[in-house]
Amino acid sequence: MTTPILHHYPASPFAHKARCMLGFKQLAWKSVIVPSVAPKPDVLALTGGYRRTPFLQIGADVYCDTALISDVLEHLRPEPALYPPHLKGVSRVFAQWADTTLFWAAMAYNLQPRAAEALFAGQPPGAAQAFSDDRRAMGMPRLRPQDATAAYRSYLRRIASMVEEHDFLFGTEPCVADFAAYHPLWFTRTCVPAMAGILAATPAVLEWMDRIAALGQGRMEKFSAADAITVAANAEPLPLPPEAFQDEHGIALGSRVAIAAESFGTEPTEGMLVAATRTRYTLARTDPRAGAVHVHFPRIGYVLRKAETA
């Protein structure tokens, strides 16, 4: 099996979620640093349009969204489990809440003007404005800081009540829910430390965060974007899983389609629909640099449409 390649950048919260899951699985992986804002030509060579961070590459297969990356890592190394059998339902439901409601409240709190100024200190002039413009173009939700702060405090208290009795959210071992809840809090504590005072009222949360951090981030090897594209060009997509085609749209396999996120980062990826299982879509596409690739998306949170014809 080709070593997983994570395309990410250091301050991305969702990328940190992926890095922590790689550490939990004790996997070796290759690290490709991508730009935090557009343009991202090397990213688009592999994804065809999707530009959210991170995405995972294995040979000529590209996996978008950490919800799907979690499933891929679970398949690569089933133990320790991200989805313990007795928590399969609740861990997914909690993770979806954490990756959406909790995340956007936390980030609206985290990126208040005084924190954003510190975050971009030392970067070239205009970096903060470029980031703001880029995220606005991607459709970043705009919660008022006052409302976000109140919500974030409430969510932290709820998380604290879960980890006061256990080492992790649902017991003695972490699961996918822990990593989904951790990464926006990590951003508060590590990337905008001037805002980290909000965590002081929930010491149990800080102790839980320390336990997550102690799991590490696996064995990372630096890798270039050009080399990652070469890996894709020299590989063939993996055989598709023998799962039944689940048609909810009246769109046949082999059709030219576009897939985009429901919200935030709605740039579409176009290609041929080659799989639509209960949980994911797969598009086949060809790029002049990357060659033939399969790009995979989770069903939840993504919209499938027939591609527009000229």
Side-chain angles (χ1 to χ4, degrees):
M1 180 67 68
T2 304
T3 301
I5 303 169
L6 186 70
H7 297 253
H8 67 123
Y9 62 89
S12 163
F14 277 100
H16 196 67
K17 174 187 173 186
R19 294 189 294 262
C20 289
M21 291 190 297
L22 286 160
F24 176 60
K25 292 291 189 180
Q26 300 180 17
L27 285 165
W29 56 283
K30 295 182 178 180
S31 166
V32 173
I33 300 301
V34 304
S36 61
V37 300
K40 301 184 179 185
D42 294 331
V43 168
L44 300 189
L46 290 164
T47 69
Y50 181 89
R51 67 180 185 92
R52 284 159 57 170
T53 303
F55 64 93
L56 189 75
Q57 175 191 352
I58 300 178
D61 286 84
V62 173
Y63 301 94
C64 302
D65 199 292
T66 57
L68 179 55
I69 291 171
S70 305
D71 290 345
V72 173
L73 297 182
E74 191 82 335
H75 176 75
L76 283 177
R77 181 162 293 175
E79 297 294 337
L82 285 166
Y83 305 100
H86 65 295
L87 295 175
K88 278 188 176 179
V90 69
S91 64
R92 288 185 185 274
V93 170
F94 190 97
Q96 186 177 359
W97 168 81
D99 281 342
T100 53
T101 303
L102 171 63
F103 176 80
W104 289 118
M107 295 309 289
Y109 168 83
N110 289 333
L111 295 177
Q112 293 180 61
R114 67 187 177 96
E117 182 178 338
L119 182 64
F120 291 99
Q123 295 197 28
Q129 188 61 51
F131 181 86
S132 177
D133 293 345
D134 182 82
R135 294 308 188 265
R136 186 178 297 110
M138 293 179 74
M140 183 174 179
R142 308 295 291 183
L143 283 73
R144 294 194 310 166
Q146 301 91 331
D147 298 327
T149 300
Y152 194 20
R153 289 188 193 279
S154 291
Y155 299 152
L156 289 170
R157 288 194 297 269
R158 295 174 190 179
I159 293 169
S161 71
M162 299 175 72
V163 294
E164 285 168 351
E165 300 298 329
H166 312 108
D167 282 349
F168 298 99
L169 290 175
F170 291 102
T172 58
E173 301 295 333
C175 67
V176 70
D178 290 272
F179 299 106
Y182 172 72
H183 65 97
L185 281 60
W186 162 85
F187 190 94
T188 305
R189 192 182 196 184
T190 304
C191 297
V192 286
M195 307 301 292
I198 197 171
L199 301 171
T202 51
V205 169
L206 290 169
E207 293 168 5
W208 163 75
M209 292 178 69
D210 289 341
R211 289 190 285 273
I212 296 286
L215 298 171
Q217 298 179 30
R219 301 182 303 281
M220 183 271 286
E221 174 189 347
K222 293 181 180 180
F223 208 56
S224 73
D227 286 341
I229 291 170
T230 298
V231 166
N234 291 338
E236 293 183 2
L238 295 169
L240 293 168
E243 297 182 48
F245 172 49
Q246 184 165 316
D247 179 19
E248 309 288 358
H249 300 80
I251 300 176
L253 294 181
S255 300
R256 185 80 182 172
V257 299
I259 294 179
E262 290 176 355
S263 61
F264 185 66
T266 57
E267 296 86 356
T269 294
E270 290 195 10
M272 180 187 297
L273 184 67
V274 292
T277 69
R278 290 184 305 106
T279 59
R280 72 175 72 174
Y281 301 115
T282 301
L283 299 188
R285 55 177 301 275
T286 302
D287 179 83
R289 298 167 63 199
V293 298
H294 282 175
V295 188
H296 308 265
F297 298 88
R299 272 192 182 256
I300 293 176
Y302 289 80
V303 177
L304 171 71
R305 294 187 176 92
K306 284 190 175 180
E308 296 181 4
T309 56

